[in-house]
Amino acid sequence: MGATVILSIKVMPDSPQAPLHDIKNHIRNFMEKHGAKSLSIDEQDIAFGLKALIIKCALPEEKGTDLIESGLATIQNVSSVTIEEYRRAFG
């Protein structure tokens, strides 16, 4: 059994008019499908009405971040995906 990692991921929509509710639903479905636990999605004001989505979750380490980044980037109205924080959970 592998370790668990704690991730913080920033997802940028492609415009201030992007439907954040729909993007959040797609993110939640994708992340839960790949074993994410303790999933939270918060909005962060950027500028000129644009809001980033900040995802925090625990994930099995063997899933890897490449799968997560590339999968989230395919969601409609998503401009970019960045892993902001990656920590190995102990205990």
Side-chain angles (χ1 to χ4, degrees), residues 52-89:
L53 298 175
I54 306 299
I55 305 163
K56 294 185 180 178
C57 66
L59 194 69
E61 186 175 35
E62 62 269 8
K63 292 290 182 179
T65 59
D66 291 341
L67 170 72
I68 300 303
E69 283 180 294
S70 61
L72 293 177
T74 64
I75 295 173
Q76 186 174 356
N77 297 309
V78 168
S79 173
S80 67
V81 177
T82 307
I83 304 293
E84 298 282 304
E85 191 172 354
Y86 181 100
R87 293 183 183 198
R88 210 167 195 197

Side-chain angles (χ1 to χ4, degrees), residues 22-37:
D22 292 344
I23 295 171
K24 286 180 187 181
N25 285 336
H26 288 294
I27 290 170
R28 191 171 313 282
N29 291 337
F30 178 83
M31 296 299 288
E32 288 174 354
K33 176 181 164 187
H34 290 285
K37 304 283 184 215

